[in-house]
Amino acid sequence: MKNKRFENKSESFYSIKSDTISDSLKIKMGKWMVEEKKYLDSACQEETKRANDDIQKNKLVFFHYFGMVEQYKGNIEMNELLKKYNIEIDSALTYCTIPSNLQNCYANVMSKEIDKRFGSKFLDSLRNVAEIKYIKKNPDKIFRFEECDWVSRYPGDKDYNDFFTTSKKHFWQNVEYPNDFEVRKDNELYSSMSAGFILYKTGKISDIKIDITFQNKKNYRYSSYFINELKEFVQKTKWIPAKSSGIPVNSEMRMTIHFK
């Protein structure tokens, strides 16, 4: 979504690096920062006034935020729902170099007015409906890990953190190190192997790809052995399908095993 308000916005003076600069430049930068603060204060006041004027005209605007914020899948579906309430759509960028209270002031005023008129849970409720609509409209999509609910997909785990310990523990219960495998020395980095695969909402898996890295090059002679063991482990495990907004979905999956 293109937003003309940000096309001519210069880079914030707050983002200027000050690692090795002279005292005179530091003074100049300090003046720049003061001037920018004045500009941002003025811009925020203008945006706030414009927002209040629009509200008096019964105009409401919902903003999709982009930048260092949580991203959503169902923005199109969210727009469709908002239109039913005569709420217009726009977009805004978030900047890590500008104080949060001095950016997107128009959008902030509008957000508070929407909460005031429809209730504090109104937007979250619509967002949840929009996300569910998106998932149902895309039944065959392979969802990224971060798009899914943060729960473990390994059977028997009580929470997400269990996955990192129980899966590794169960793998090594049935896999033995070769007699002449050279274990990690104190000054060496950990060696590991990772399995990436697609976990379908039916529980089926496919596209298993395994990467293996040994710090001790001599251990590469056992690559095939460990790769086959991990592949068999992945295939035999009865994985719990991922969910997004509480709905089972196809997803990317990855597990990592470290060597001793």
Side-chain angles (χ1 to χ4, degrees):
M1 298 181 184
K2 196 171 184 181
N3 193 322
K4 294 183 178 179
R5 288 196 300 279
F6 300 99
E7 290 180 352
N8 298 319
K9 200 173 187 71
S10 60
E11 183 180 0
S12 170
F13 291 118
Y14 293 118
S15 65
I16 296 178
K17 295 182 179 180
S18 58
D19 298 335
T20 55
I21 56 178
S22 64
D23 290 339
S24 61
L25 185 54
K26 287 181 180 179
I27 294 174
K28 186 179 293 186
M29 285 175 59
K31 292 180 179 179
W32 286 343
M33 292 172 68
V34 170
E35 290 301 316
E36 182 174 70
K37 177 65 164 50
K38 290 180 179 179
Y39 165 77
L40 293 173
D41 281 332
S42 176
C44 185
Q45 292 175 14
E46 291 179 6
E47 286 193 17
T48 299
K49 181 180 183 304
R50 183 162 58 84
N52 287 322
D53 289 343
D54 285 345
I55 289 171
Q56 291 297 319
K57 300 173 185 176
N58 207 32
K59 176 181 179 179
L60 295 177
V61 185
F62 171 83
F63 283 78
H64 292 287
Y65 286 94
F66 298 93
M68 302 294 291
V69 294
E70 181 179 1
Q71 300 296 314
Y72 294 98
K73 304 177 289 295
N75 284 340
I76 293 177
E77 289 74 16
M78 183 69 169
N79 295 348
E80 294 172 351
L81 293 171
L82 288 166
K83 288 178 182 178
K84 296 179 180 180
Y85 296 89
N86 294 319
I87 298 175
E88 298 181 19
I89 312 300
D90 206 334
S91 61
L93 296 175
T94 57
Y95 298 89
C96 60
T97 55
I98 298 178
S100 58
N101 64 311
L102 293 178
Q103 59 178 303
N104 300 318
C105 296
Y106 181 95
N108 291 336
V109 173
M110 281 293 174
S111 179
K112 291 178 181 178
E113 183 65 21
I114 292 174
D115 286 347
K116 179 180 176 182
R117 294 194 188 188
F118 297 96
S120 60
K121 297 181 179 180
F122 170 73
L123 291 175
D124 286 341
S125 177
L126 284 191
R127 177 61 77 183
N128 185 55
V129 173
E131 294 295 291
I132 291 174
K133 282 179 174 289
Y134 175 86
I135 294 167
K136 290 183 176 180
K137 286 167 64 174
N138 296 274
D140 299 323
K141 177 181 174 178
I142 306 298
F143 286 76
R144 300 190 309 276
F145 189 89
E146 60 271 17
E147 291 180 304
C148 302
D149 297 344
W150 286 80
V151 296
S152 177
R153 296 162 205 173
Y154 190 76
D157 286 353
K158 294 182 179 180
D159 60 48
Y160 177 71
N161 292 326
D162 288 344
F163 171 72
F164 300 99
T165 55
T166 54
S167 60
K168 181 178 179 179
K169 176 183 177 181
H170 291 167
F171 174 80
W172 288 117
Q173 284 178 347
N174 298 306
V175 177
E176 296 182 356
Y177 284 97
N179 292 331
D180 54 350
F181 180 89
E182 299 192 24
V183 300
R184 172 181 175 270
K185 294 181 175 60
D186 291 339
N187 61 345
E188 289 182 337
L189 298 174
Y190 279 98
S191 299
S192 64
M193 60 177 172
S194 296
F197 55 95
I198 303 301
L199 172 60
Y200 292 90
K201 51 191 171 185
T202 59
K204 174 187 173 182
I205 63 172
S206 71
D207 301 331
I208 303 176
K209 295 180 177 62
I210 297 178
D211 299 317
I212 191 166
T213 300
F214 289 111
Q215 301 301 325
N216 188 325
K217 306 303 180 184
K218 294 180 181 179
N219 287 329
Y220 274 108
R221 54 188 162 173
Y222 300 115
S223 294
S224 296
Y225 166 69
F226 285 115
I227 288 173
N228 289 334
E229 290 292 343
L230 181 54
K231 186 174 183 179
E232 183 178 356
F233 178 81
V234 169
Q235 291 172 327
K236 288 185 176 181
T237 298
K238 295 183 179 179
W239 300 95
I240 308 300
K243 293 182 178 180
S244 184
S245 297
I247 301 174
V249 295
N250 308 320
S251 68
E252 298 174 350
M253 185 66 191
R254 192 171 189 85
M255 67 169 296
T256 299
I257 297 293
H258 291 90
F259 296 100
K260 66 180 180 180

